């Protein structure tokens, strides 16, 4: 049995525009790292939080990683306790799945300490308990891709089914993170509980077209389907300059552009040769609204979370 393990879990783009709460994909450029150590003393303790975010609760009950490992330890009957060190690589309230990545990295690291490790579906459910602490709601569209990797569709909540959807070769994701924070709780709070019938039909068609386009490698179908007609219009006022950033991405040939998760990061899918021009145009559009931004171009592919120390 191991005494310690280090795990990395990638950042994620939740919703991917048209799959609110059910679709997400990995962003390999960024992630959170958690070191788990077995202790004789029972209970889960967080001993350090370092990296780009440090103002998070050390109380395990109130911390996504801590809560997720408490849930795992209880589910698997773990003996003794666990200490966690969290290294944040994902900015706070950025729309890049930071709370999910911490929860996923924590359960993957802690799982490596168990004599009878849990399967991935158990890890998913334990990470969901952690994510709930941060966002106040149960959604899996950050956790599933962070754990499984690539573009992931999650069907169901209590007994979720996971489907890794193929992404056509040569497609890239451009991410632009303006320097402001947007809490998921607040961004969910602006959403109406009702959808008109015509929007329901439109959104359903777009999701079906997008997924079909991914399976068949049909970039035209992906482009034509890549439009969120329900969520984006309600949230866009929370992100200064969003319409201009989206217009800039589309004008430079993006397949689609929308809000990453709850925002404020904006993402665009595109063919690889267009990625740098799209990135520059999106950053410039935020800059015109007085916002500095970080940006990345990433492939959309597995792996998901993994043990990093080479011994597991
Ligand atoms: N699907 C969630 C939302 C993701 O958009 O509220 C939050 O990270």
């Amino acid at each position: 049995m191991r005494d310690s393990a280090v795990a990395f879990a990638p950042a994620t783009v939740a919703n991917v525009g048209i799959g609110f709460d059910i679709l997400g994909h990995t962003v390999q450029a960024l992630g959170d790292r958690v070191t788990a150590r077995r202790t004789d003393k029972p209970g889960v303790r967080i001993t350090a939080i370092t990296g780009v975010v440090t103002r998070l609760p050390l109380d395990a009950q109130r911390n996504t990683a801590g809560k997720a490992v408490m849930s795992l330890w209880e589910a698997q009957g773990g003996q003794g306790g666990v200490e966690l060190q969290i290294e944040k690589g994902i900015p706070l309230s950025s729309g890049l799945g930071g709370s999910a990545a911490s929860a996923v990295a924590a359960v993957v690291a802690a799982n490596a300490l168990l004599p009878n490790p849990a399967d991935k579906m158990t890890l998913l459910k334990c990470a969901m308990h952690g994510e709930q602490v941060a966002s106040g709601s149960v959604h899996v569209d950050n956790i599933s891709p962070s754990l499984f990797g690539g573009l992931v569709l999650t069907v169901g909540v209590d007994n979720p089914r996971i489907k890794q959807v193929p992404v056509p070769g040569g497609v890239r994701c451009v991410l632009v993170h303006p320097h402001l924070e947007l809490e998921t709780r607040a961004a969910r709070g602006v959403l109406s509980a009702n959808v008109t019938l015509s929007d329901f039909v439109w959104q359903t068609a777009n999701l079906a077209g997008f997924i079909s386009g991914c399976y068949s490698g049909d970039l035209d179908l992906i482009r034509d389907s890549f439009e969120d007609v329900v969520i984006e219009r309600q949230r866009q006022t929370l992100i200064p300059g969003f319409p201009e950033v989206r217009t800039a991405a589309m004008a430079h040939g993006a397949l689609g552009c929308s809000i990453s998760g709850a925002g404020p990061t904006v993402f665009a899918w595109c063919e690889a040769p267009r990625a740098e021009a799209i990135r520059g145009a999106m950053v410039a559009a935020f800059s015109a609204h007085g916002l500095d931004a970080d940006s990345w171009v990433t492939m959309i592919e597995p792996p998901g979370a993994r043990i990093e120390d080479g011994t597991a």
Side-chain angles (χ1 to χ4, degrees), residues 214-294:
C214 284
Y215 274 99
S216 59
D218 184 339
L219 295 189
D220 285 336
L221 182 55
I222 291 175
R223 183 186 290 107
D224 287 349
S225 310
F226 213 136
E227 189 178 8
D228 165 22
V229 298
V230 175
I231 305 297
E232 185 183 293
R233 64 168 71 132
Q234 299 182 69
R235 282 181 167 168
Q236 62 178 346
T237 52
L238 303 173
I239 306 170
F242 174 79
E244 291 80 8
V245 173
R246 185 178 189 282
T247 300
M250 298 312 291
H252 284 79
L255 296 168
C257 175
S258 190
I259 301 166
S260 173
T265 294
V266 179
F267 78 99
W269 275 28
C270 62
E271 293 167 85
R274 298 183 189 269
E276 286 306 329
I278 290 171
R279 183 217 296 244
M282 292 169 74
V283 169
F286 268 128
S287 180
H289 284 265
L291 283 169
D292 290 335
D294 297 316

